[in-house]
Amino acid sequence: VTPQPGVPIELARWRASHYHKIQYLLTLNLTPNSEKLTGTEEILLTLDKEVSELVLDWRPQTFADQSLARVWQIEVNDQAVSN
């Protein structure tokens, strides 16, 4: 299956009704002549009481069947998450 750009409209509407006060904090490390961009992303949001899981999209770009992006650490409410 080939991924399509964007988020399905049903998921986008569901998120809009249950996710509130969304903020993204990005920190990027720009190093001259570096082959990779590094940094962090912090996502702050409020979930409705009805929501038991947070769904985030992660679609890294690939080149020559090699992933060009990785996630190393995920924390929720200051607790490490394994998957």
Side-chain angles (χ1 to χ4, degrees):
V1 175
T2 302
Q4 299 298 314
V7 173
I9 191 70
E10 289 179 20
L11 178 57
R13 287 181 178 149
W14 184 86
R15 286 177 177 168
S17 67
H18 295 288
Y19 296 7
H20 307 283
K21 300 179 184 175
I22 302 169
Q23 299 176 47
Y24 296 91
L25 305 172
L26 300 175
T27 302
L28 301 176
N29 303 313
L30 303 175
T31 306
N33 303 314
S34 176
E35 293 184 16
K36 295 182 180 181
L37 175 69
T38 62
T40 62
E41 176 181 20
E42 184 174 351
I43 305 170
L44 306 170
L45 63 121
T46 302
L47 300 174
D48 282 353
K49 292 179 182 179
E50 301 170 23
V51 177
S52 62
E53 295 181 333
L54 175 64
V55 178
L56 297 176
D57 297 289
W58 178 255
R59 189 176 299 160
Q61 298 295 311
T62 59
F63 178 74
D65 295 327
Q66 297 280 331
S67 176
L68 299 177
R70 293 191 179 110
V71 175
W72 276 278
Q73 180 181 1
I74 300 175
E75 293 181 7
V76 175
N77 295 330
D78 295 321
Q79 299 295 315
V81 176
S82 60
N83 53 349

